[in-house]
Amino acid sequence: MCVTCGCSDDAEGKITNLQTGEVNHHHDHHTHTHTLPDGTVITHTHHHDEAPQIHAKIHGTTISLEQDILAKNNLLAAQNRGWFKGRNILALNLMSSPGAGKTTLLTRTINDLKQQLPISVIEGDQETTNDAQKIKETGCKVVQINTGTGCHLDASMIERGVQQLNPPLNSVVMIENVGNLVCPALFDLGEQAKVVILSVTEGEDKPIKYPHIFRASEMMILTKVDLLPYVQFDVERCIEYAKQVNPHIQVFQVSAMTGEGLDNWYKWLTEKVAMSIPV
Amino acid sequence: MHELGITQNIVAIVTEHAKGMKVQKVVLEIGKLSAIMPDAIKFCFDICSKDTLLENSLLEIIEIPGLAKCHQCGTEIALDKPFGVCQCGSVQLDLITGEELKIKEIEIEEICV
């Protein structure tokens, strides 16, 4: 059957050219001329059932898209940003490799600041609600997002997460991303700032090994500095690497266990809140 | 493995623009500083395009090299990673190209009448 007009192959009106051997259908739309992009002109005839295949070879239509592949995520992130802004909420995207100490830093921060700063948390992990349970023990609101096979949070997950979390007006939402130093850097969640957390039990060259995440972050928090006497980690070189990748990055050295250096982080956080939330 | 999610996005965007027509070719532009591996996209593309309008279509990836301009002295520098040091010693580099991640064009089958 002809895929163009639906008529039968055996329909009347078939014209056979005995000189060329061409068989033309009674509809003339099966013999026509194409001009290819290079200027070549092709006139051809084909049997009904060949139409799509022949046309596929001869003239696909090119559509110029020039479309950003992450456009949808970026649009949702922009909406999230507006949502946070409209409620005077400071949202931070905390990123690190697994085990750098994000959850320990968060629980300590929430406990130390709970009298002055309402903080709620969106937890991202592939599986389990273990971290969310730890955060819940501080008494703050927390929602766990399990990404399953996913290696990062994206803007649509945050959109759904904040609906569940329902954070209060004039507060802070900490988004603890999935432990991963690569993928989270690519996905805007609608946060005001990205914060990368690196522990001294990792290599000091992480900033140049995983440059995208350090480039995207406003701040690097170097954690577990209480372990410096026991590990080989050159702090100065690490900071040098971080500044090479991102000259504007701020660096804090902290220990969530001993409390060392946390005052700087709390001061930064409080000032950031003051900037986000008009008095 | 963010390439899997990215490839799913590509299939979704192209499907939307193909308006039911079979897709013959998809042309992407991927910057070399974008943290996206073209090989991983190609690997995922066959899987993600299965049973869609993109099945068996040709995937063409144009890789855009990294180029930055020194914020201090204005020199243009070729980059293969998203940071570097200018000959003047500055690390303040503004990226010009290399972060692209887009669908440049698609070719769809057309049945003419």
Side-chain angles (χ1 to χ4, degrees), chain A residues 263-276:
Chain A
D263 285 349
N264 292 330
W265 156 237
Y266 296 160
K267 187 165 174 283
W268 180 89
L269 195 57
T270 315
E271 283 173 5
K272 198 87 181 161
V273 169
M275 276 193 288
S276 304

Side-chain angles (χ1 to χ4, degrees), chain A residues 56 61 63 65-67 212, chain B residues 24 33 102-104 106 108:
Chain A
T61 301
I63 303 173
L65 286 187
E66 299 288 343
Q67 184 164 346
H212 291 89
Chain B
Q24 294 174 314
L33 312 179
K102 66 180 181 186
I103 303 168
K104 187 172 171 56
I106 62 172
I108 58 167

Side-chain angles (χ1 to χ4, degrees), chain A:
Chain A
M1 190 180 80
C2 171
V3 294
T4 306
C5 64
C7 66
S8 162
D9 279 346
D10 299 317
E12 290 177 8
K14 190 164 71 179
I15 299 172
T16 306
N17 183 329
L18 294 176
Q19 278 70 47
T20 62
E22 281 184 1
V23 181
N24 288 349
H25 188 255
H26 67 290
H27 295 306
D28 62 7
H29 62 233
H30 288 287
T31 298
H32 46 213
T33 301
H34 301 283
T35 305
L36 300 184
D38 63 359
T40 312
V41 178
I42 293 179
T43 301
H44 73 116
T45 304
H46 50 79
H47 298 296
H48 301 148
D49 54 358
E50 284 180 347
Q53 290 79 7
I54 287 181
H55 281 131
K57 284 176 199 152
I58 291 175
H59 64 162
T61 301
T62 300
I63 303 173
S64 179
L65 286 187
E66 299 288 343
Q67 184 164 346
D68 185 350
I69 293 165
L70 292 177
K72 195 176 170 192
N73 182 76
N74 294 344
L75 178 66
L76 284 172
Q79 287 170 359
N80 289 345
R81 198 167 280 116
W83 194 93
F84 288 129
K85 194 176 176 190
R87 286 161 181 76
N88 287 334
I89 291 170
L90 172 72
L92 297 180
N93 181 0
L94 309 183
M95 308 174 297
S96 79
S97 52
K102 289 191 297 297
T103 311
T104 307
L105 178 69
L106 257 183
T107 49
R108 174 91 193 221
T109 303
I110 293 163
N111 280 325
D112 287 352
L113 298 183
K114 65 168 68 160
Q115 302 304 327
Q116 57 194 95
L117 207 59
I119 299 176
S120 45
V121 177
I122 295 177
E123 268 294 331
D125 280 299
Q126 278 201 288
E127 301 291 347
T128 83
T129 55
N130 291 357
D131 282 359
Q133 293 294 347
K134 286 181 201 162
I135 298 288
K136 193 177 168 223
E137 285 166 17
T138 66
C140 89
K141 290 172 101 172
V142 56
V143 164
Q144 175 83 50
I145 297 175
N146 287 127
T147 56
T149 55
C151 46
H152 58 268
L153 294 174
D154 65 30
S156 71
M157 294 174 191
I158 299 306
E159 184 190 24
R160 283 178 283 139
V162 288
Q163 300 301 332
Q164 292 290 322
L165 187 67
N166 192 21
L169 301 173
N170 312 311
S171 68
V172 176
V173 171
M174 297 284 197
I175 302 165
E176 186 178 338
N177 218 313
V178 179
N180 179 346
L181 277 182
V182 183
C183 314
L186 266 74
F187 294 84
D188 185 3
L189 305 180
E191 74 279 327
Q192 266 97 331
K194 290 183 172 70
V195 175
V196 63
I197 292 152
L198 180 65
S199 64
V200 301
T201 54
E202 302 171 67
E204 67 241 341
D205 55 355
K206 278 273 161 70
I208 54 169
K209 276 185 173 168
Y210 299 90
H212 291 89
I213 211 152
F214 289 87
R215 252 183 79 81
S217 297
E218 190 171 317
M219 200 219 287
M220 173 173 96
I221 303 181
L222 193 58
T223 56
K224 307 186 189 179
V225 294
D226 54 303
L227 296 178
L228 277 172
Y230 314 104
V231 293
Q232 283 201 324
F233 188 92
D234 188 332
V235 173
E236 289 312 309
R237 182 165 290 177
C238 178
I239 294 172
E240 201 178 293
Y241 285 143
K243 298 260 184 191
Q244 188 181 339
V245 170
N246 179 354
H248 305 292
I249 200 164
Q250 291 190 64
V251 181
F252 292 143
Q253 300 177 44
V254 309
S255 165
M257 296 298 284
T258 66
E260 182 185 346
L262 287 175
D263 285 349
N264 292 330
W265 156 237
Y266 296 160
K267 187 165 174 283
W268 180 89
L269 195 57
T270 315
E271 283 173 5
K272 198 87 181 161
V273 169
M275 276 193 288
S276 304
I277 302 172
V279 182

